[in-house]
Amino acid sequence: MPAPRPGRVVIAEPEIRARIATLGAEIARGYAGEPPVLVGVLQGAFVFMADLVRAMPIDLATDFVRIESYGGGRTSSGRVRLAADLATPIEGRDVLVVEDIVDTGRTLAALRRTLEARRPRSLRVCALCDKVERRQVDVRLDWVGFTIPNVFVVGYGLDDAGLYRNLPDVVALEGGSAARRVIGP
Ligand code: 5GP
């Protein structure tokens, strides 16, 4: 039995599959030299990362970070701590950060500063979803899967309070996230 859908489908599985095939080929063309290190941001990006690497027909390495961000509820503060750091030294390497969603841009901006300090040869970013209308911090995204409206989404790796990551589609959560409902806007 599939998990119940908590709301309307925003991006359906076949659409995600088709977009990632295109994106993977495009990104691979951007890395003609040394194998890049793809840095997945846990937990939200794990499903996207798994599909993206299989759409990239080049040599590459993978690693992950887990980010803890401070601040109230779902609003990121821009202060982040690496709850789990890379095992791979990235100095002199071509790094591609693989993110689930860029919302205000604060998390990514902070992660970028942390990774830049390690002096990679290049640092580029691929995000599955971009909530461009919510942006507060100017962050450069080199590749974007989908631009989505300002709705709280779950599925395809994205959660609400730890649930719904296993849904195959990206789905709008009716009523917003549980955290938002408890804590307020
Ligand atoms: P930002 O720092 O850009 O405001 O927030 C980015 C992070 O907030 C994402 O990596 C993700 O973890 C979380 N986030 C933002 N929007 C959503 C959403 O619609 N659904 C889920 N599940 N997480 C979101």
Side-chain angles (χ1 to χ4, degrees):
M1 270 260 291
R5 290 215 167 99
R8 138 187 94 79
V9 173
V10 176
I11 316 166
E13 186 183 11
E15 233 184 306
I16 299 173
R17 206 178 312 124
R19 180 70 186 116
I20 289 178
T22 310
L23 208 51
E26 225 174 78
I27 296 172
R29 282 197 296 276
Y31 291 101
E34 292 291 300
V37 184
L38 271 64
V39 173
V41 183
L42 293 173
Q43 294 190 51
F46 84 102
V47 177
F48 176 41
M49 175 97 157
D51 284 343
L52 184 65
V53 292
R54 286 177 291 174
M56 292 178 59
I58 57 168
D59 286 336
L60 56 82
T62 59
D63 206 337
F64 293 89
V65 289
R66 181 192 287 257
I67 292 181
E68 231 168 55
S69 73
Y70 303 92
R74 294 278 168 156
T75 310
S76 57
S77 62
R79 290 168 57 216
V80 301
R81 187 181 81 84
L82 290 187
D85 203 342
L86 295 172
T88 314
I90 56 166
E91 183 169 356
R93 302 287 305 266
D94 292 311
V95 171
L96 177 68
V97 172
V98 179
E99 252 289 26
D100 54 0
I101 295 194
V102 181
D103 186 30
T104 63
R106 288 186 177 136
T107 306
L108 183 60
L111 176 62
R112 194 178 240 291
R113 280 195 299 276
T114 301
L115 297 180
E116 289 279 15
R118 300 179 190 180
R119 305 161 64 87
R121 183 163 71 174
S122 66
L123 181 55
R124 289 190 271 181
V125 178
C126 173
L128 176 68
C129 295
D130 183 8
K131 287 188 187 174
V132 71
E133 65 187 85
R134 291 262 306 161
R135 196 76 84 255
Q136 291 177 15
V137 176
D138 188 26
V139 280
R140 179 188 158 87
L141 302 181
D142 299 277
W143 290 279
V144 171
F146 301 91
T147 298
I148 63 167
N150 180 19
V151 287
F152 191 83
V153 290
V154 296
Y156 197 71
L158 296 159
D159 78 313
D160 182 43
L163 297 180
Y164 309 124
R165 294 192 196 278
N166 57 327
L167 299 178
D169 310 304
V170 173
V171 173
L173 195 62
E174 303 294 346
S177 83
R180 272 194 181 140
R181 283 198 297 274
V182 173
I183 293 163

